[in-house]
Amino acid sequence: MNRSDLYSLTPLLILSSAAILNFFSISIKRNHKVIFAITVLSLIGDFIFLTSYSLYHQQHIDPLLVVDGFGIFNIGLILLTTLVVALMSYAYFEQREERKEEYYILLILAALGACIMVISKHFVSFFLGLEVLSVSLYSLIAYLRTRERSDEAGIKYLILAAFSSAFLLFGMSLIYATTGKMDFGGIGYYLTTTQDIPLIMMAGLGMLIVGAGFKLGVVPFHMWTPDVYEGAPTPVTAFIATVSKGGMIALLVRFFNAINGYQYESFTNLFTVLSIASMFVGNILALRQTNLKRILAYSSISHIGYLLVAFLSGGSMGAQATTFYLVAYFITTLGAFGIIATLSDQHRDAELIDDYRGLLWRRPLTAVAFSAMLLSLAGIPLTAGFIAKFYVITAGIGTQHWLLVFCLVVNSVIGLYYYIKIIAVMFDQKLQIKSAKELHPLVYVISSVTIAVLAVFLFWLGVSPEGMLSLIDDVI
Amino acid sequence: MILMILILVLLFGGIAAGFSGRMNTMLPRWISVGAIAINLFISLWMAAQPNTNSSPWLLQLKLNWIPSFGISFHLALDGISLLMIILTFFLGIIAVAISWNEIHFRVGFFHFNLLWVLAGITGVFLTMDLFLFYFFWEVMLIPMYFLIGIWGHENRQYAAYKFFIFTQASGLLMLMSIIALYFVHGQATDQYTFNYFDLLGTSMNKQTAQWIMLGFLAAFVVKLPVIPFHTWLPDAHTEAPTAGSLILAGLLLKTGAYGLIRFILPLFPEQSAAIAPVAMALGVTGIVYGAVQAYGQTDLKRLIAYSSVSHMGFVMLGVFALTEIALQGVVMQMITHGISTGALFIIAGLLYERIRTRDVTQMGGFWKSIPVASVITLIFAMASLGLPGLGNFVAEFLTLIGSWSANKTMTLIATIGIVFATAYSLRIMQKVFLGKSRLEHHQSLADLTARERLILLPLVIVIILLGVHPQPAIDLAKDGLQKTLNREFQAPKEPKIINPNYQTLTVPATEKGVHHE
């Protein structure tokens, strides 16, 4: 490893050192503020360091990693997302009785795992990153361990994630057995030189998709999503919905481009089925829910379905649409969960729809921000979600995926129903006596500012997306 | 730049109104009136300018917006859009005035939504970029949803959902079509753009054009609405507050009609001719069906809503007659229907304020106690049934003349539809104002106040003016309509092409030789 390798890996090193620094800090004295400050500063510092790279940076650290524009962009996205999650965690955990300090270590480690995933070009580093991410998530989900639902969610995620890892490993070994390669490029080379792909290889790739599907929560591997979303602490839910799924998507984009998977009809058909099933199942199951976290869980299932439309379009257009969609989805999801977190009190999360009745008249700005997030999820103009949906539809139509685009349109309409149902509740004129009492008496400046910034980004991307579009165009 | 200002004034006026609502409940009303009055003044001033251009485009503005996709912020104004935005601001002021005493709940937010709806509608009437068009098309929906959902009557939530979902679903189909057109054009010419004037000459095979047109058509016929896509309308109109009904009937429906004229006819001339018989049949069905339904209603607002369905049938008939006179009739119909139906909704709202019901079976014999309101209602009921001397007569007469040459059977049935219109219009008068007085149930009934007279009087004047002297409006729209039909649209301020063969769409597409599926 030479100096330029080291330079390229510095963002990961900063993250690891931040985790270690937190360890030491806890062993000296437990202090929520100090740990929080270390975490936030190191994430900001890391991001600033990241901006020193040129967009055309390209550093292969053979055989495991490649730090290129796409990777840097995704690392930046992960860092900022983690930063937002950390910011919203402070107020959330401050009012809870558990020991809060270790939470930040786990959060940083999870982010580290996701960062490794998005720059890996080899099965070993892929698996390493995935496990660092998953193991941290097991404990993060069950972090509020005195709450029953949190434990249940943790166990559920542990078992299913371990199960999916097993699938992934089996798939990898089958591929290794046929090709003798574990790096993406090598597998791609094998595929170009082979006429008929052996059955074992197909089985291996299929298992790989099953494993990835679990992580993404696509139908039919989605069973864990609503329970885990509901049970996990709200900031952790936000993290799962964004970083954990986004990292996997970025990896899939890299892997599929490396092996040129778009030319195999069986894969594209498989993904088409997964995408359509996710859209419909997610949206239809969300219709009757009364728990906001579960609604967002089902909505995330359908959004992964939309994302797969962009993913399936392939080529640079598809990759760009996927990336833009991820950015918009990250902002929106973080905002939505951030608002749930700020409205939660120390006994329970503000997760029932009734908690939001008449919110507009109690906390107008929060309600407007939340409506904006929901409208963005529904893909209504002026918000980032609209440009993202537009981009996905454009990518889909440009590559003649009419069936997928049509399903997307139908599902947007179904989805609209439950998004505006929530908005309608917030705008309800009837002020209920129960909800007239504030769930959360303290105004947490940090959380409010975070949400305001997210809302500004949401509108900015929705009104003037050109900057982000050309940035994404440059890195891909 | 003036065009941009029109939209910005409304957007910022809306924000100012929204915030000022916290300080004072009167401030938002005055801000809204001021903002719309500025716009009305500007647009009337533009209408007074003589058009020295050879092209029908009076003004245009083009700024880069999202160059990666070939999207520009492109506004342009011709006679048709000018008429439409004057109507928009005129009814806008009336909508603010009519809410003066009706709305007391969250006044600031109400006016914010009102101004943003108007901004969206103005944008729709001005934009010449298909992406921007879709953008504004959607922007006007959300505030409208809030207007119905927050300030509406008893069943407001259901009506608001239905309105939003119907229009969204059809709008998304249009978005698909817009993007498909973008690719078809881009692949044929290697110039990827959403610019209306560039897309006008797109060559594509018949099948593709057919599908793309259907997507556009979906959005417009739902908005218009055409049978059988009209079911959202009676609910939305009935449950909305008076200002909401006024804007829905007067302006939102017109965006559908405007879309047909501005996009369907010029972009897909051959396909529109191909579906014309079906479209005209749907229009005529709407005329008769709407009128029959209107006759059967007991809810006054619902009755007026169904009469809208009937009147919009004339629009569909006239547009697809594909003759200039019929199109003139359509433009007149858009304006006069906006005014007459709007006025009827206002009267229904005023009655509701007084007796807290919209049920016509509980009304009767009001003429004696409220003569002024009765006379004004009579004028607009007569307008609605197409009495000569009032604007609607001109509109329907032109439409029928224009359609006669295109399809005689349809025109005959449509004419019979007017008889039904007479029936329901007279029924309003008979049930509400004539007959045995039912006033003992409602004690006393106050006649129109000075403010209410001031609101209704301009409407009366305009509808009579349009009835006896419609020529200025017809002249304004003439140029644009002729170009639409003759397929010789061209971008504004380009050197005029003398070559008579410059009829892009009639030139065989074989030179480009690219057909896309």
Side-chain angles (χ1 to χ4, degrees):
Chain A
M1 182 171 287
N2 55 32
R3 278 187 57 176
S4 60
D5 285 356
L6 208 60
Y7 170 69
S8 295
L9 285 180
T10 313
L12 303 188
L13 295 177
I14 295 179
L15 274 185
S16 324
S17 1
I20 294 168
L21 196 62
N22 274 345
F23 273 130
F24 286 126
S25 157
I26 292 174
S27 63
I28 295 166
K29 183 169 173 11
R30 279 187 176 276
N31 187 332
H32 191 188
K33 281 200 187 68
V34 172
I35 301 283
F36 176 70
I38 295 175
T39 309
V40 167
L41 288 178
S42 52
L43 286 170
I44 293 175
D46 205 355
F47 183 75
I48 292 172
F49 182 81
L50 206 65
T51 54
S52 74
Y53 290 128
S54 106
L55 283 175
Y56 306 101
H57 187 88
Q58 181 102 11
Q59 178 80 23
H60 286 270
I61 300 157
D62 285 326
L64 295 182
L65 303 171
V66 54
V67 182
D68 56 2
F70 183 65
I72 291 170
F73 183 86
N74 280 303
I75 291 180
L77 198 59
I78 290 168
L79 289 177
L80 285 183
T81 311
T82 313
L83 177 67
V84 173
V85 171
L87 288 173
M88 70 170 86
S89 303
Y90 184 77
Y92 186 85
F93 281 96
E94 183 62 29
Q95 56 180 337
R96 279 165 179 74
E97 66 285 7
E98 283 83 4
R99 299 195 156 175
K100 336 157 164 88
E101 290 75 14
E102 282 83 357
Y103 169 82
Y104 294 95
I105 300 175
L106 290 167
L107 191 66
I108 292 175
L109 288 177
L112 179 65
C115 290
I116 297 173
M117 268 169 78
V118 298
I119 54 168
S120 53
K121 57 165 187 166
H122 193 278
F123 278 157
V124 168
S125 49
F126 167 27
F127 193 70
L128 177 77
L130 186 70
E131 285 304 290
V132 171
L133 172 65
S134 298
V135 172
S136 317
L137 277 180
Y138 302 152
S139 18
L140 278 174
I141 291 169
Y143 198 79
L144 300 173
R145 61 189 186 286
T146 53
R147 285 163 180 74
E148 223 171 81
R149 275 196 322 196
S150 198
D151 289 346
E152 182 201 325
I155 298 281
K156 212 165 226 171
Y157 191 75
L158 169 68
I159 292 172
L160 284 177
F163 197 55
S164 74
S165 294
F167 264 99
L168 215 56
L169 276 182
F170 195 25
M172 287 175 185
S173 40
L174 288 182
I175 293 173
Y176 182 64
T178 13
T179 62
K181 299 281 184 198
M182 297 250 278
D183 61 314
F184 299 169
I187 298 165
Y189 179 73
Y190 170 84
L191 285 174
T192 52
T193 51
T194 320
Q195 283 299 319
D196 296 317
I197 309 173
L199 192 61
I200 288 192
M201 175 78 183
M202 289 298 275
L205 284 168
M207 286 187 168
L208 215 60
I209 292 172
V210 171
F214 264 109
K215 276 280 159 214
L216 293 176
V218 293
V219 175
F221 316 112
H222 65 288
M223 310 297 185
W224 59 272
T225 324
D227 292 330
V228 169
Y229 271 46
E230 190 187 355
T234 305
V236 177
T237 312
F239 189 84
I240 299 172
T242 53
V243 172
S244 156
K245 292 190 174 179
M248 185 52 99
I249 288 278
L251 185 111
L252 276 183
V253 168
R254 194 186 287 282
F255 181 65
F256 257 67
N257 278 325
I259 68 166
N260 199 4
Y262 300 105
Q263 60 177 326
Y264 304 109
E265 209 160 279
S266 44
F267 290 136
T268 52
N269 285 345
L270 183 63
F271 273 107
T272 307
V273 171
L274 291 181
S275 163
I276 293 177
S278 303
M279 288 191 242
F280 275 104
V281 171
N283 275 322
I284 289 172
L285 289 181
L287 288 178
R288 303 286 297 168
Q289 301 294 329
T290 53
N291 183 314
L292 208 56
K293 282 167 99 178
R294 288 184 89 85
I295 290 182
L296 287 174
Y298 285 114
S299 122
S300 83
I301 295 172
S302 59
H303 275 275
I304 297 293
Y306 302 158
L307 244 175
L308 287 182
V309 176
F311 174 70
L312 273 169
S313 306
S316 65
M317 182 92 166
Q320 286 168 20
T322 312
T323 313
F324 191 89
Y325 201 92
L326 274 184
V327 174
Y329 182 66
F330 274 28
I331 294 175
T332 313
T333 310
L334 286 174
F337 282 111
I339 287 165
I340 297 181
T342 50
L343 292 174
S344 301
D345 66 4
Q346 58 187 30
H347 301 298
R348 61 182 199 88
D349 289 352
E351 57 188 4
L352 296 178
I353 285 196
D354 270 340
D355 294 334
Y356 293 83
R357 195 164 291 281
L359 187 71
L360 181 70
W361 321 122
R362 282 183 280 134
R363 302 183 59 162
L365 288 178
T366 314
V368 167
F370 199 31
S371 308
M373 301 298 166
L374 291 169
L375 289 175
S376 175
L377 283 174
I380 304 288
L382 288 178
T383 61
F386 167 65
I387 304 287
K389 191 164 82 180
F390 165 74
Y391 210 156
V392 169
I393 294 180
T394 307
I397 290 182
T399 48
Q400 321 268 310
H401 286 94
W402 290 103
L403 176 68
L404 281 169
V405 172
F406 192 72
C407 288
L408 196 159
V409 165
V410 170
N411 274 286
S412 297
V413 177
I414 303 177
L416 199 61
Y417 177 76
Y418 58 85
Y419 295 126
I420 59 176
K421 191 169 78 176
I422 305 172
I423 296 178
V425 166
M426 286 195 287
F427 287 69
D428 202 339
Q429 287 192 19
K430 276 172 286 184
L431 290 177
Q432 292 198 335
I433 300 158
K434 187 191 122 265
S435 53
K437 187 178 129 271
E438 289 287 311
L439 275 174
H440 191 316
L442 285 171
V443 177
Y444 282 105
V445 180
I446 300 175
S447 308
S448 310
V449 170
T450 313
I451 289 164
V453 169
L454 286 172
V456 168
F457 270 115
L458 190 81
F459 286 119
W460 181 61
L461 272 188
V463 173
S464 143
E466 185 59 29
M468 183 54 79
L469 288 174
S470 52
L471 177 66
I472 291 175
D473 192 33
D474 283 343
V475 298
I476 291 174
Chain B
M1 210 50 217
I2 298 178
L3 301 178
M4 181 104 162
I5 289 172
L6 289 177
I7 295 173
L8 287 181
V9 163
L10 292 174
L11 290 179
F12 285 106
I15 293 170
F19 279 106
S20 66
R22 294 186 155 197
M23 295 179 262
N24 184 331
T25 55
M26 289 314 282
L27 217 50
R29 304 180 203 275
W30 284 112
I31 291 177
S32 312
V33 169
I36 305 172
I38 293 173
N39 278 353
L40 183 63
F41 180 76
I42 296 178
S43 50
L44 284 176
W45 174 76
M46 286 192 294
Q49 303 289 315
N51 181 13
T52 48
N53 278 349
S54 54
S55 87
W57 301 99
L58 310 173
L59 275 174
Q60 80 153 345
L61 169 79
K62 193 171 180 184
L63 304 171
N64 266 342
W65 183 21
I66 312 177
S68 318
F69 282 113
I71 296 170
S72 56
F73 192 91
H74 188 174
L75 305 176
L77 181 90
D78 71 348
I80 310 172
S81 349
L82 185 56
L83 281 175
M84 287 300 116
I85 61 169
I86 292 175
L87 180 72
T88 306
F89 302 135
F90 178 57
L91 291 183
I93 289 197
I94 305 238
V96 178
I98 199 66
S99 316
W100 212 271
N101 280 348
E102 188 192 353
I103 303 297
H104 294 290
F105 181 75
R106 305 288 157 179
V107 181
F109 192 55
F110 176 85
H111 287 92
F112 168 81
N113 284 317
L114 197 67
L115 288 184
W116 276 54
V117 176
L118 292 179
I121 294 172
T122 313
V124 163
F125 285 143
L126 292 180
T127 173
M128 288 299 139
D129 181 282
L130 266 66
F131 180 87
L132 191 64
F133 177 75
Y134 179 78
F135 192 84
F136 281 125
W137 186 262
E138 296 284 287
V139 162
M140 68 186 179
L141 289 187
I142 302 150
M144 196 66 227
Y145 165 78
F146 288 141
L147 284 181
I148 302 173
I150 300 179
W151 292 274
H153 297 291
E154 315 81 40
N155 204 5
R156 55 178 176 273
Q157 289 292 356
Y158 170 75
Y161 275 153
K162 204 167 170 181
F163 163 74
F164 200 40
I165 287 177
F166 263 71
T167 38
Q168 258 286 321
S170 59
L172 281 167
L173 291 178
M174 176 169 76
L175 180 64
M176 270 175 80
S177 282
I178 291 176
I179 296 173
L181 187 61
Y182 167 79
F183 276 109
V184 168
H185 179 80
Q187 283 158 359
T189 62
D190 211 29
Q191 182 201 3
Y192 286 88
T193 173
F194 282 98
N195 190 340
Y196 174 71
F197 297 105
D198 293 338
L199 292 176
L200 271 178
T202 308
S203 60
M204 47 191 148
N205 68 29
K206 287 207 170 96
Q207 191 101 35
T208 318
Q210 183 84 22
W211 282 108
I212 296 181
M213 182 194 66
L214 283 178
F216 276 95
L217 204 57
F220 300 144
V221 299
V222 168
K223 204 51 147 284
L224 193 55
V226 173
I227 306 280
F229 309 103
H230 66 289
T231 60
W232 64 269
L233 180 133
D235 288 310
H237 281 51
T238 310
E239 301 301 333
T242 308
S245 307
L246 175 66
I247 290 182
L248 269 174
L251 302 173
L252 238 63
L253 305 191
K254 306 306 176 293
T255 58
Y258 175 83
L260 289 176
I261 296 178
R262 177 71 82 216
F263 295 100
I264 297 276
L265 295 188
L267 284 172
F268 313 99
E270 285 160 32
Q271 285 67 31
S272 347
I275 64 148
V278 182
M280 287 171 86
L282 283 177
V284 169
T285 318
I287 295 175
V288 176
Y289 173 84
V292 172
Q293 281 285 350
Y295 187 76
Q297 300 301 320
T298 54
D299 184 323
L300 187 54
K301 282 183 94 174
R302 231 180 155 76
L303 192 162
I304 305 168
Y306 272 110
S307 82
S308 285
V309 176
S310 178
H311 284 135
M312 290 297 106
F314 279 102
V315 169
M316 197 68 178
L317 176 74
V319 167
F320 285 96
L322 302 172
T323 59
E324 195 198 328
I325 300 184
L327 281 181
Q328 284 288 7
V330 168
V331 173
M332 282 302 285
Q333 177 80 334
M334 285 156 78
I335 302 168
T336 55
H337 171 265
I339 290 167
S340 67
T341 307
L344 287 176
F345 273 122
I346 290 174
I347 290 161
L350 295 178
L351 284 175
Y352 182 82
E353 273 180 32
R354 287 168 169 74
I355 57 177
R356 311 311 290 174
T357 180
R358 305 187 304 265
D359 188 350
V360 290
T361 60
Q362 296 187 30
M363 304 179 192
F366 288 176
W367 193 295
K368 275 182 197 137
S369 40
I370 46 170
V372 179
S374 310
V375 170
I376 293 178
T377 316
L378 184 66
I379 293 172
F380 288 110
M382 291 301 124
S384 183
L385 64 82
L387 189 78
L390 299 169
N392 302 46
F393 169 73
V394 180
E396 281 165 20
F397 186 64
L398 288 175
T399 313
L400 290 174
I401 293 182
S403 323
W404 179 255
S405 58
N407 194 329
K408 297 194 169 54
T409 330
M410 296 296 172
T411 317
L412 269 178
I413 305 175
T415 317
I416 296 170
I418 297 185
V419 179
F420 290 102
T422 317
Y424 68 73
S425 303
L426 291 179
R427 188 162 170 272
I428 299 180
M429 291 312 296
Q430 186 205 351
K431 284 279 176 190
V432 180
F433 296 100
L434 305 175
K436 194 168 138 268
S437 171
R438 287 174 169 272
L439 265 186
E440 57 270 20
H441 302 299
H442 312 295
Q443 293 104 29
S444 68
L445 200 58
D447 206 347
L448 299 185
T449 62
R451 175 184 65 89
E452 290 159 353
R453 287 178 202 197
L454 204 63
I455 294 170
L456 284 166
L457 205 61
L459 292 169
V460 174
I461 294 171
V462 172
I463 201 85
I464 294 177
L465 266 184
L466 285 173
V468 294
H469 187 54
Q471 201 57 42
I474 290 178
D475 287 343
L476 254 182
K478 195 178 174 93
D479 244 9
L481 291 177
Q482 274 175 349
K483 300 271 150 118
T484 304
L485 277 179
N486 301 338
R487 307 169 189 177
E488 52 189 27
F489 252 136
Q490 44 185 300
K493 289 181 190 160
E494 273 175 356
K496 194 171 183 189
I497 294 162
I498 316 284
N499 181 2
N501 288 331
Y502 183 74
Q503 293 189 349
T504 335
L505 288 166
T506 51
V507 172
T510 42
E511 296 158 28
K512 289 170 182 168
V514 188
H515 287 293
H516 287 276
E517 192 51 53

